Each structure stands twice: as C-alpha cells, then as structure tokens.
Amino acid sequence: MEVHQLRYFAAVVDEGTFTAAARRLHVSQSGISTQVAKLELELGQQLLDRSGRQIRLTPVGEAVLPLARNALATFEAIQHTAAEFADGVRGRVRLGMIMGCSIPAFLDTVADLGRTHPGIEVSLHEGYSDDLQTQVLSSSLDLALIGYAGEIASGLEVGTVIDEPITTVVPAGHPLDRTELRLADLWGEKILCLSPGTGIRAAYEDSCRRIGLDPRVDIDASSPVTLLRLAERGAGVAVLSASSTQGTGLRTVPLTDAATHARLGLVTRRGQHSPAVELLRTRLLVALQAG
C-alpha cells in the first residue's frame, strides 16, 4: 500500500470522478485509475462503485475512507515535523482554548512543542467559544480550540476533531437512570449544563427548540467536571457530550431526540499562516483526531 494510492482514492471521492481527480492532482486519469485498482486488489475489497456516471463509495470504501484521511494527515505531519527540525521554525503562536479544557491530547501537544521547538513561544488564552471565534477573526489569536453546534463564523476554517450527540448524566439509581431518554423527560428535574457560548450548550438549546421546548438550564458552569460533581451530589441531571462523561462513575443515558450534535474543532483564519502556527495546528489536529 502506497501513500499516493490513498491520496488518489480520497481525491476521487472528493471530486466524484477520476477525470476531476486527475485534473486536481495533475496526474493522468489512467494513472489514478490504475493505482486505485491496485489498492483495491491489495486490500481484496472494492472501494468504489464505478457502475454509474458518478463514482460512489462501497460499504467497505465508506469504512476505509476516514482511515485513509487519517493516514494522509499523519504522513503530512511527519513531513512537516522533519522539515521544521531542519528549518528551525521560530515565532509566536497565540492559542485559544475553551474554558475548562482538560483534554490530555491537547495539553500534551502544547507542552511537547516547547521541548521540540524551543524557538516557538506559545501564549495560551482561555475563553468561551463565541469569543474565541471573534478573537481569531480579529487576529488577536492565531488559532483556537472551540466547541460549536452550528456554522462557524464566516472567514474561519475549522478542523473538526469531535462530533458527537449530547447525553444526560445521572447518578446510579436515579429515576432517570434508564436505557434512553427524551428531552421532555428532563423537565421535572433541575438541569445542569455548560455556560452559554459553548458547543454543548448550543447543541442542547438548538435540540430543544427543534421540538418546541424552551431550553431551560437551572445551573450552568464553565467546566464539565464541575457539572459532574454536582450531578453526583444530587443537584440535578447534567447535559453533556458522551466523551466528557467517561470514567465518572455516573450513568450516561442517551437523548434520543437531541438532533443537534456538539462539535469540537480547531479554527483559524482563512489564508496563509506562519510556519509556527501551521506546525502547531497540524500537530494538534493529528493528536486530537487520534485521541
């Protein structure tokens, strides 16, 4: 399996035809077709359905595509890192992060950059997601890790690292300790959620409005850990994302009618960035998508 075969496969999916993929990559159409066929032969599975005018993914292709994209991102990160060691990248990166962020992959990557590239100075700023988007747009920050539910601000690019439904967290034995819940089931309880301007809060509020409910929150906090500790003590039921509740000892109950997902992503301004900013952005994307 060759890296260029994965790149050709992803390009055909993105462009919809071998001809368009060849045009984008400046490679002959027959070359792309041959290499993708070799990839399928090596895997022993057909990745693309060529029977129609538009190329479609087979079920195997749908499963392989995200893995191929991750492999390509990792390969690019390796190239970036090797080049940056040779070039001695220097500079300052102004990095924003959501309030109460404790994601190990994020913190490890920021800490590791100081060891591998002492010439890069990172200043870290904590804030709510809406404010962080504004600061990136105004060039007060170079990039930021934000939570969001809908569209991001115009003029920004986002690399999504988490896309998951919101869920309810209750103590074991609670009346709502069931296999699944609907949003209306929460209305007899005090509701705990993150502060306005966070992706989880936006996903909760939008999901409520979609089914005609007023999105009520009785207690909000900037940290998921605070909400989990309150839920443990019987202060109410917490509405969070599934990943933020792992290892708490509480019960996580899916909300079947919560249509809007909570997302986590890295945002930057559209356009070119300094080598230092691009280095940190690439490393964070690889680490967060892998973790």
Side-chain angles (χ1 to χ4, degrees):
M1 186 185 307
E2 303 289 340
V3 171
H4 68 273
Q5 293 173 334
L6 299 178
R7 185 175 292 113
Y8 292 172
F9 166 55
V12 171
V13 175
D14 291 340
E15 300 298 328
T17 66
F18 285 96
T19 301
R23 188 181 305 118
R24 190 184 92 184
L25 296 176
H26 306 289
V27 180
S28 69
Q29 177 181 337
S30 61
I32 288 187
S33 180
T34 298
Q35 291 302 318
V36 172
K38 285 184 177 179
L39 176 62
E40 291 176 316
L41 181 63
E42 183 173 345
L43 295 176
Q45 297 285 345
Q46 186 176 350
L47 303 177
L48 300 173
D49 180 355
R50 302 163 173 80
S51 60
R53 298 182 61 182
Q54 193 83 0
I55 299 294
R56 297 182 182 276
L57 285 166
T58 64
V60 176
E62 290 180 355
V64 168
L65 180 61
L67 300 176
R69 294 197 192 281
N70 287 341
L72 290 170
T74 300
F75 179 73
E76 290 175 5
I78 292 171
Q79 290 181 313
H80 275 298
T81 300
E84 283 139 7
F85 270 104
D87 296 339
V89 175
R90 307 180 67 85
R92 183 166 180 259
V93 182
R94 299 159 301 174
L95 173 64
M97 69 176 188
I98 51 176
M99 297 286 290
C101 176
S102 59
I103 301 172
F106 178 85
L107 300 175
D108 290 344
T109 301
V110 174
D112 186 60
L113 188 72
R115 290 187 287 269
T116 60
H117 289 75
I120 298 179
E121 175 190 351
V122 179
S123 57
L124 195 57
H125 306 268
E126 193 175 40
Y128 291 114
S129 295
D130 291 347
D131 294 335
L132 293 174
Q133 290 189 67
T134 300
Q135 292 177 64
V136 173
L137 275 173
S138 68
S139 300
S140 298
L141 294 175
D142 297 303
L143 71 160
L145 180 70
I146 67 164
Y148 64 104
E151 297 296 323
I152 62 168
S154 177
L156 295 180
E157 293 182 345
V158 62
T160 302
V161 295
I162 293 177
D163 183 335
E164 60 185 354
I166 56 174
T167 187
T168 303
V169 184
V170 299
H174 188 279
L176 295 185
D177 182 5
R178 308 174 191 171
T179 56
E180 60 183 37
L181 292 168
R182 300 178 66 83
L183 285 163
D185 295 330
L186 310 184
W187 252 239
E189 306 289 335
K190 288 189 178 296
I191 299 175
L192 320 177
C193 195
L194 291 179
S195 303
T198 60
I200 291 173
R201 179 66 171 264
Y204 164 69
E205 292 179 346
D206 187 68
S207 293
C208 286
R209 293 189 182 104
R210 284 173 180 263
I211 58 174
L213 291 176
D214 182 35
R216 175 175 58 82
V217 173
D218 298 285
I219 300 175
D220 59 32
S222 60
S223 168
V225 175
T226 300
L227 298 178
L228 293 173
R229 299 294 82 81
L230 287 171
E232 282 180 337
R233 290 162 172 77
V237 297
V239 176
L240 291 166
S241 62
S243 63
S244 63
T245 66
Q246 293 177 358
T248 63
L250 295 163
R251 304 286 194 183
T252 300
V253 186
L255 286 165
T256 58
D257 58 348
T260 306
H261 281 203
R263 298 181 175 92
L264 192 70
L266 275 174
V267 293
T268 54
R269 292 181 302 282
R270 295 188 182 278
Q272 297 294 317
H273 309 290
S274 72
V277 171
E278 189 59 31
L279 168 61
L280 182 55
R281 187 189 76 88
T282 301
R283 286 195 173 189
L284 283 171
L285 281 174
V286 171
L288 290 166
Q289 289 171 347

